[in-house]
Amino acid sequence: MRAPYAVRGPLTGVLAAGVLFAALSGCSPTGGTAETRYAEDYTGHEPLRVLGYPSIGSLGITQQLVWEIADASADGLAALATGDGGEDAARSTADNWIKAFRKGARGKVTADFYDEGSERQTVVLYFQDTGQTKEISVRLDGHAGADGWHVLMDEPSMKEATAEPTWAPRTPGGSGSSSTR
């Protein structure tokens, strides 16, 4: 007699592969896979609210940016950079963004995604706890995939880093970036 809970057929292979993957990725000597690190970061931070139409890559890099600011990780934030300013500009920008937006990034944040996001996207971050607004530009550099996405970080002065976008609405979703249907 078979047990009523036994799994048979193609589902058995899928379940076995899932269990094997979970066991192997949880025991990685290098600190886990990207998925494991993402899950740990996700549980340690307020989830990002999203409006508009991000791509997988533009959403991922934006979420990572907010987490790096919240954690005051200047090295991690600068590692997300792209731009013509070089490493010094990226590091100065990272320091400025952390000083200016860390408190807000540790709370509720809404990301409003504009334009089509297959290669680049403008994102406006709304930090609810502080009432601050920050425009960022994300783009795909090099190869396709989430790892190829970077943030334009060329704001080495605090004045540039904290300038609010003049074109963006004061509240998220106010200019049609999200569907109202």
Side-chain angles (χ1 to χ4, degrees), residues 63-83:
Q63 179 67 82
Q64 191 173 356
L65 173 122
V66 172
W67 289 342
E68 297 293 353
I69 292 172
D71 293 343
S73 175
D75 291 337
L77 190 55
L80 305 177
T82 187

Side-chain angles (χ1 to χ4, degrees), residues 3-149:
Y5 56 86
V7 179
R8 304 249 185 255
L11 188 56
T12 303
V14 172
L15 289 174
V19 169
L20 179 61
F21 174 77
L24 291 175
S25 65
C27 300
S28 172
T30 60
T33 65
E35 292 83 8
T36 303
R37 287 188 304 275
Y38 180 86
E40 290 170 359
D41 279 343
Y42 187 83
T43 59
H45 297 89
E46 186 77 31
L48 186 67
R49 292 180 172 94
V50 176
L51 294 170
Y53 303 97
S55 68
I56 292 171
S58 66
L59 176 59
I61 195 73
T62 301
Q63 179 67 82
Q64 191 173 356
L65 173 122
V66 172
W67 289 342
E68 297 293 353
I69 292 172
D71 293 343
S73 175
D75 291 337
L77 190 55
L80 305 177
T82 187
D84 298 331
E87 289 181 30
D88 290 340
R91 182 56 191 234
S92 295
T93 301
D95 290 339
N96 289 337
W97 287 2
I98 289 168
K99 286 176 193 163
F101 303 109
R102 182 174 188 213
K103 182 177 178 185
R106 296 176 89 186
K108 293 177 181 8
V109 180
T110 299
D112 205 344
F113 290 80
Y114 290 84
D115 309 315
E116 185 271 331
S118 63
E119 293 183 21
R120 62 183 62 235
Q121 202 156 26
T122 298
V123 184
V124 178
L125 299 172
Y126 294 88
F127 301 96
Q128 182 177 326
D129 293 351
T130 60
Q132 296 169 294
T133 306
K134 176 67 185 154
E135 175 185 354
I136 62 168
S137 295
V138 297
R139 68 182 184 200
L140 185 59
D141 285 343
H143 54 74
D147 291 338
W149 282 86

